[in-house]
Structures are given as C-alpha cells and as structure tokens.
Amino acid sequence: MALSIRLSRGGSKKRPYYRIVVADARSPRDGRFIEKIGNYNPLLAKDDEKRVVLNAERAKHWLSNGAQPTDRVARFLDLAGVRERAARNNPKKAEPGEKAKERAEERAEKLKAAEEASQAETEAVMAAEVDAATETPTAEAEKVADATAEQ
C-alpha cells in the first residue's frame, strides 16, 4: 500500500484549516486516512508557534515505513528537523512568456525612438542657436574670431 503524508482540508469557505495526515495515496484528499499527525493553520502569522503543529516522532515512524510527503508537508518536516528537503531550482519559472517578451521589446523600441527624437530635437535647437549666434556676431565673438585668426 502506497502511503503519503499530506494535508486534508477542513474549515469553512475562505477559512482554511488543514490536518496533516498519513493516508493511502489512492484515497481522496479529505477522505479516509490512517492517522492524524498534526495540523496547519495558514491564517495564523508565520512566526506563530501554533501555525504548524506536528508530532515529529510519528512522522519519523511513518517515513521509516515508506510514506512519501507532499511538497508542502516536506517543508514542514524540514522546519521541524525530521527530514531534510532538497532545494529546488527552476530558472524558467521566473522567465516571462512570449507575449510579455514581445511587449517588452516594443516598449524598448518606443523608448529608443523617443530618445532619438528628443536627441534630434536638442541638436536642432543647438544648431539654431549656433546659426543665430553666427548671424549676428557680438563683441565677444568678434574678439574670439580675431584671436583665432591671428594664431
């Protein structure tokens, strides 16, 4: 018989409360179980000691008999020091989807076009200022021109 250590949901709608149970892997989630070894109340604060209550001795017993914990229960067992859980690494999980990548590329292109337009605009303004300055020379500009001509 395949055993699993898993959560069995209780509580009312939008007020979950879970029992940590040892059950036959083929039985339904909230159905028949062999033994209750703890409980989990996700509504309590993460640092509350009553959030996860686990009978470590019974958990060790069932693990030695071949029971397989679910991912969430494996986390609880790791925190209780009963069984060490290997860290998982899924680098593709955080990678955005195709549509999001396309939208990001479009935004980057628009931003680049806007920067180029603003840069062209500032260059045009500077060119206009230079043209205006060279059309009507001031006394200072004439002095600079004369100094550079002498050299």
Side-chain angles (χ1 to χ4, degrees):
M1 174 167 61
L3 297 174
S4 93
I5 303 175
R6 63 182 181 207
L7 298 175
S8 175
R9 192 177 197 277
S12 59
K13 181 178 177 182
K14 298 189 180 185
R15 305 273 303 162
Y17 185 83
Y18 298 94
R19 291 180 293 201
I20 302 171
V21 298
V22 177
D24 183 6
R26 296 168 294 185
S27 65
R29 178 191 73 177
D30 300 334
R32 192 174 71 184
F33 59 88
I34 299 169
E35 182 181 356
K36 177 185 168 196
I37 60 172
N39 55 40
Y40 167 55
N41 187 353
L43 298 178
L44 296 176
K46 290 190 178 190
D47 58 350
D48 193 343
E49 59 196 34
K50 293 181 182 177
R51 182 178 167 102
V52 177
V53 177
L54 182 68
N55 185 343
E57 184 179 312
R58 293 306 295 168
K60 286 179 187 177
H61 167 75
W62 285 110
L63 287 171
S64 68
N65 285 350
Q68 295 296 315
T70 60
D71 290 339
R72 179 59 54 184
V73 173
R75 286 175 178 258
F76 299 151
L77 295 173
D78 186 29
L79 289 173
V82 175
R83 179 180 182 182
E84 193 166 325
R85 180 178 68 95
R88 293 182 166 197
N89 183 18
N90 186 0
K92 290 190 175 186
K93 181 178 181 181
E95 187 175 307
E98 291 179 24
K99 293 277 188 176
K101 288 179 184 177
E102 290 173 8
R103 287 192 296 265
E105 288 174 5
E106 288 174 8
R107 269 189 247 121
E109 289 173 6
K110 286 181 182 178
L111 183 62
K112 186 177 179 182
E115 287 178 3
E116 289 174 357
S118 66
Q119 187 177 15
E121 183 180 323
T122 55
E123 288 176 0
V125 168
M126 291 178 69
E129 289 177 359
V130 168
D131 289 341
T134 55
E135 287 177 6
T136 55
T138 61
E140 293 175 10
E142 289 178 5
K143 288 180 185 176
V144 171
D146 290 339
T148 54
E150 289 177 4
Q151 292 175 352

